[in-house]
Amino acid sequence: MLMMNEKIKAREVELTGLDGEDLGIMPRDEALALAKANKADLVCTSLFSSPPPCKLVSRGMAKQEAAKEKKGQKPASGPIKVKEFRLTVHIEEHDYDTKLSQMQRLLESGKAVQPIIRIQGKEGDAARKLLERLIHDLAGKGTKETGIQVSGKQATVKLLPV
């Protein structure tokens, strides 16, 4: 957050001039008067020291610099989005190709995919084979984060983008 002019509450500030020259420690009101006389803003550069270091900046430039700095920061890279794909062991070839191309597109755009195959009865081995085929077909686009997990009613694997 940008603290400037009257928003600075400290009694004294350590002031730096328009050209970077050190003007020393002075009362806040005196620093504000100096800023107004030079048609400048008094900007606090750090709130963590006493007295707070402040500098004189040409009027309006402080907000522009803060906006530029904020724009330059990368957005916080949070967790990768994971898209789930539900399949069955008895998937037809055309449907498999469609799901495969959707997964490839998502992996290329930087998202993780998680195919989930529903299992009924003794389809565990068939589900594992289908997941292995998917991993093989997506080898250039994604790598598996987890091994193939087969549990009760489903088999799944998580693929991360390369």
Side-chain angles (χ1 to χ4, degrees), residues 14-149:
E14 187 178 330
L15 191 62
T16 304
L18 283 167
D19 300 319
E21 70 276 9
D22 187 18
L23 300 176
I25 296 171
M26 61 175 64
R28 181 193 75 133
D29 296 334
E30 197 177 310
L32 280 170
L34 198 59
K36 284 183 179 150
N38 289 317
K39 292 189 172 82
D41 287 322
L42 182 65
V43 179
C44 183
T45 55
S46 172
L47 300 171
F48 300 111
S49 56
S50 180
C54 295
K55 63 181 179 179
L56 295 177
V57 179
S58 299
R59 185 145 298 150
M61 289 302 291
K63 285 185 180 176
Q64 286 179 2
E65 282 178 25
K68 239 186 237 179
E69 195 174 291
K70 195 172 186 181
K71 199 176 191 180
Q73 291 174 344
K74 283 188 176 180
S77 59
I80 296 177
K81 299 255 191 238
V82 178
K83 174 74 175 151
E84 290 183 358
F85 284 87
R86 299 205 173 265
L87 313 159
T88 60
V89 174
H90 308 292
I91 189 169
E92 291 183 18
E93 202 56 38
H94 170 71
D95 295 335
Y96 174 85
D97 292 339
T98 303
K99 296 280 187 185
L100 182 69
S101 69
Q102 289 173 345
M103 286 186 225
Q104 283 176 333
R105 242 193 340 257
L106 283 166
L107 286 168
E108 285 170 358
S109 70
K111 292 182 176 68
V113 295
Q114 184 171 11
I116 299 172
I117 300 173
R118 276 181 261 129
I119 301 172
Q120 295 175 338
K122 297 180 178 169
E123 296 176 337
D125 286 338
R128 182 180 290 277
K129 285 187 178 117
L130 183 59
L131 282 175
E132 285 171 356
R133 180 180 167 200
L134 261 173
I135 292 168
H136 181 266
D137 291 346
L138 292 169
K141 312 282 187 231
T143 56
K144 61 183 180 178
E145 177 188 47
T146 59
I148 295 174
Q149 299 165 342

